Amino acid sequence: MNKPIYILNGPNLNRLGKREPHIYGHTTLGDIETSCREEAEGHAIEFRQTNSEAQLIDWIHEAIDSGAGIIINPAAFTFTSIAVLDALKMFPGPIIELHITNIHKREPYYHHSYVSKVATAVIAGLGPSGYQTATRAMIEQLGCKAGHS
Ligand code: DHK
């Protein structure tokens, strides 16, 4: 059984669909989870969201012990949390940092990411479909063929 890919989401992303739709669109996080599972074609996925920094760190620790790869949209913690960076530093596998919007085109406080220091790759600005792109890329990074669970 392949170790799961952890897809972790930070604060306020539980409000997707209703949250600033002119910026984030009308797609809900539930829709995004469904699209990731379809893209993974049977590869194990742990898809989670929290508004708590401590919870996000605990899930990264869990992934260190039992995950193959991490796809993370840390949302606002991207720009504030050295604790999340320190946790990710301990992860031995590929890390894909993901943002729905192109953070570099937005307000200056969204320009410096702590997470990018340890990310294998960064995806930003593709909208909700960036999650599928990240899932496909992660399966390639892991050298797994989709459907081989
Ligand atoms: C999501 C957030 O919540 C913001 O804090 C970031 C990111 C952008 C996103 O594009 O997914 O600035």
Side-chain angles (χ1 to χ4, degrees):
M1 181 78 175
N2 268 335
K3 284 184 170 185
I5 295 167
Y6 280 67
I7 305 181
L8 304 178
N9 297 279
N12 305 304
L13 294 172
N14 55 309
R15 305 290 300 178
L16 282 178
K18 291 180 283 217
R19 175 194 181 190
E20 301 174 281
H22 58 291
I23 296 174
Y24 298 102
H26 297 278
T27 306
T28 68
L29 197 61
D31 299 333
I32 289 172
E33 178 175 359
T34 304
S35 66
C36 289
R37 292 188 184 283
E38 282 163 3
E39 196 64 43
E41 292 180 340
H43 194 102
I45 297 273
E46 288 292 334
F47 191 99
R48 305 187 187 162
Q49 186 277 332
T50 183
N51 297 324
S52 153
E53 187 176 13
Q55 178 64 82
L56 190 59
I57 290 165
D58 288 346
W59 288 339
I60 294 167
H61 291 171
E62 182 189 315
I64 290 166
D65 300 327
S66 52
I70 294 177
I71 295 169
I72 186 165
N73 183 345
F77 294 150
T78 307
F79 320 102
T80 61
S81 183
I82 295 172
V84 167
L85 166 62
D86 286 346
L88 289 170
K89 280 180 187 166
M90 297 183 275
F91 184 72
I95 297 168
I96 297 179
E97 174 187 351
L98 171 70
H99 302 285
I100 295 167
T101 62
N102 180 348
I103 56 176
H104 303 291
K105 277 171 71 172
R106 301 189 59 189
E107 298 86 338
Y109 47 75
Y110 290 142
H111 292 177
H112 172 263
S113 163
Y114 284 106
V115 171
S116 296
K117 299 244 170 312
V118 291
T120 310
V122 180
I123 296 174
L126 295 182
S129 68
Y131 282 85
Q132 287 153 281
T133 306
T135 304
R136 223 175 11 257
M138 180 58 78
I139 288 176
E140 251 173 58
Q141 285 285 315
L142 296 171
C144 301
K145 293 281 165 290
H148 285 220
S149 57

